[in-house]
Amino acid sequence: MVVLVEVKSSMVHLNNNGYEGVVIAINPSVPEDEQLIQSIKEMVTQASTYLFEATKRRFYFRNVSILVPMTWKSKSEYLTPKRESYEHINAYIIVADPHLKYGDDPYTLQYGQCGDRGHYIHFTPNFLLADNLSTYGPRGRVFVHEWAHLRWGVFDEYNTDRPFYMSGKNTIEATRCSTDISGRNVVHQCQGGSCITRKCRRDSKTGLYEPKCTFIPNKSQTAKDSIMFMQSLDSVVEFCTEKTHNREAPNLQNKMCNRKSTWDIIKESADFQSASPMKGTAAPPPPTFSLLKSRQRVVCLVLDKSGSMDSIKKIWGTHLSRLTRMKQAAELYLIQIIERESLVGMVTFDSTATIQNHLIRMTNENSYLQISAKLPQRADGGTSICSGLRAGFQAITSSNQSTSGSEIILLTDGEDNQISSCFEEVKDSGAIIHTIALGPDAVRELETLANITGGLQLFANEDLNDLIDAFSGISSRSGSITQQALQLESKALTIPGKKLINGTVLVDSTVGNDTFFVITWTTQKPEIILQDPKGKKYTTSDFRSDDKLNIYSVRLRIPGIAETGTWTYTLSNKNGNSQLLTVTVTTRARSPTKLPVIATAHMSRNTAQYPSPMIVYARVSQGFLPVLGANVTAIIEAEDGHRVTMELWDNGAGADTLKNDGIYSRYFTEYHGNGRYSLKVNAQARKNITKVNLKQPNKSLYIPGYIENDQIILNPPKPEVPEATETATMEDFSRLTSGGSFTVSGAPPGGNHTPAFPPSKVIDLDAEFKGDHLHLAWTAPGNVLDKGRAHKYIIRMSRHFRDLQEDFNNNTLVNTCGLIPKEAGSKENFEFIPETLKIENGTKLYIGIQATNEARLVSEVSNIAQAVKFIPPQEPSIPDLGTKMPTPSLTIFVFVATLFIF
């Protein structure tokens, strides 16, 4: 079994059963509303008591910070944030508009494996302010449902795509946990002002209920579980346990957690292991709240100029020092990445430190040039990182700013055995430290500074554009999309002597503001011709450079808004020898009203111990909407320069949790020795294929109605995205992003290791009868997890779900001698007649699959698929049921899948 545990720094922690450091951050686009803060307080207070009861007196919320935007008016009760920010991983809960006219469903961005923490909970202002009691239940209960996703990595126990299944007792059941929750399965239809409610009929193809059938729960219940199914019911105050868990239900909890109950997963969490039930207290103390107001961004560059920075790397016959490459990247960051109105300072250090610039407000290009002019020209001396950090703090405080909540970008390539001497001082400062390790010799404790302060950790190898990409990854954290710099291109090009090279850059219609083209070289400035989509040309003389800095770099800022379409460039090498050139293009959102496509990336963990695998994640979105069908590529580079390039998939197989959620994933196992690895991701649209998904996956359940006093009381209809417009085609785009760095230990040098991993588990097996044939479909795993081609498949079937689940190897083996596995990620289809079992009307079969590789390593057993042989009888007409309705024009649509996944 592959075990993956996501490890992240976080201010959220348990202190004597109480959660502290929880941050609820309000997006800058949300208008000021005092009632919103009051509603948040009421929700959390209600959630705290409910959480305490649900976890058997183990957890509650002790203190919560509410972060309001900088755009709101200042008030005496608003405090200055410390390490809290909207984009920070500590902003566990965000309040933001949905950027879509359909619905306000709360949801958790959760795409890790079972037990992995999610990324954030998203509430909309409308959800927090409107009367949602009948459709979602009390807000505090909804919060606990989402908190379980976020904190403990459990999944939903309902399934709106597969709302019914055939149980082992040959009864049709609603997908739920536990099965003790009672209700009716009905179809409600309205036509011409007349509405009827009737019993559900069975579908002639599946034997289940017809697609319009929905489960309406009884308002009054005796069942106490489960919060991950329908927390809105008054009786539901617990999570499903091993005794009450419904293992048969085709829901994501069973699929992702090997049919374990939510309470079993919670019990395995670090929170549970460190907390015993509280004694002697009827209820926990109410949460305390702090109101914080975002402030202008404060950043100080702390740059290494010690002797090792004069180290020269021979690149394509040219010598270029680390100091020069640092200056190239730092200038780009100052001029192109850091947002306007930020306060920025700079410190350089060797064995001692010097404040080159106290904080300067970035109001125009001259402000940026004022700082970049002080970039160091010489490198010598030793390395004292703590001296650099202390000088950074001084540069901030001497400008009447607090170190608390300020950011420091620390770059170093050297060793320093005294670095730990200032760890406590750094903790106490409240500053966020982003670390950039340049080259293989940077001190190993560098990442600790990032981890203890919630900063980013980045690694740049000796390649020319690695450092530029690392700096580009440290962008705005305010939540304001217009402030965030986006990278469209970052390319290194080798040009032979006296030759030229052509290239293109795509500027889509969502971006184009503040667009920069930057060219760097290693020997001699090339001749440059840049042409916009309408034919306007820019030449070398249009590109600016700072000759005094001697940084082998020129830049062009496109006036106004860059033209939409394909830009072309020609670079001519006038030198007789080959040289390496880089092309970097950055831009910002075209307007505040049109959201750009964003790509973000990270690894499943910051550290890996061989032979544990990791997962690469990339999220491609427009606002909060997933972008589907993009071509997403990850580039992972080890310290020795070895690169692995891999395509990431959003296919709901292998490492990917959900299909079509805009999260592209893949296992990574190709370790090439110990040390630091960097991650970069390139996301591009595929012409006429890439779409934006207008339906938010993995959201809270919208309750269609209740049965009360034997009457069906329906809620108002939920706005639905019409089937024909569930997705919208995207124009072409291109994005690059840094995913930070991670460290590996225990790996053999040079990648000399035999595969230690079996094929990945099949998690999307489908089965259905087609006449007398049983048709199976699934996504092919690989030879090593999701890479390569498996050696063979083992398929077994049984009439009984539990037999296949508990003793797979002793069930009926299917003849697969003609089934040759395809390449990982391909769609597999296999049909056979189950001759060894008697098949008749009503026959129900369960099927599972394993894959093996040539090393005879065997995958986990797949999800268990169910197929039912069903010949529908003639059904008599069914009388209507009594119904109480709030509106005469109400139709409930719930789509039933024809297949089952457990």
Side-chain angles (χ1 to χ4, degrees), residues 130-146:
D131 180 9
N132 305 304
L133 190 62
S134 62
T135 49
Y136 297 104
R139 277 186 278 265
R141 288 178 169 230
V142 174
F143 186 21
V144 171
H145 176 103
E146 299 303 333

Side-chain angles (χ1 to χ4, degrees), residues 760-787:
S760 59
K761 173 184 174 181
V762 172
I763 60 175
D764 62 346
L765 177 64
D766 284 338
E768 69 172 326
F769 275 102
K770 293 184 176 180
D772 293 331
H773 290 74
L774 191 58
H775 179 82
L776 306 182
W778 68 95
T779 303
N783 181 58
V784 178
L785 294 174
D786 55 10
K787 181 185 178 185

Side-chain angles (χ1 to χ4, degrees), residues 642 644-646 649 654 666-670 757-760 780-790 822-825 853:
H642 179 78
V644 175
T645 300
M646 56 199 299
W649 298 331
R666 201 81 182 274
Y667 285 109
F668 173 71
T669 61
E670 296 181 62
F757 310 102
S760 59
N783 181 58
V784 178
L785 294 174
D786 55 10
K787 181 185 178 185
R789 187 192 300 262
K822 296 179 181 177
E823 192 73 17
N853 60 20

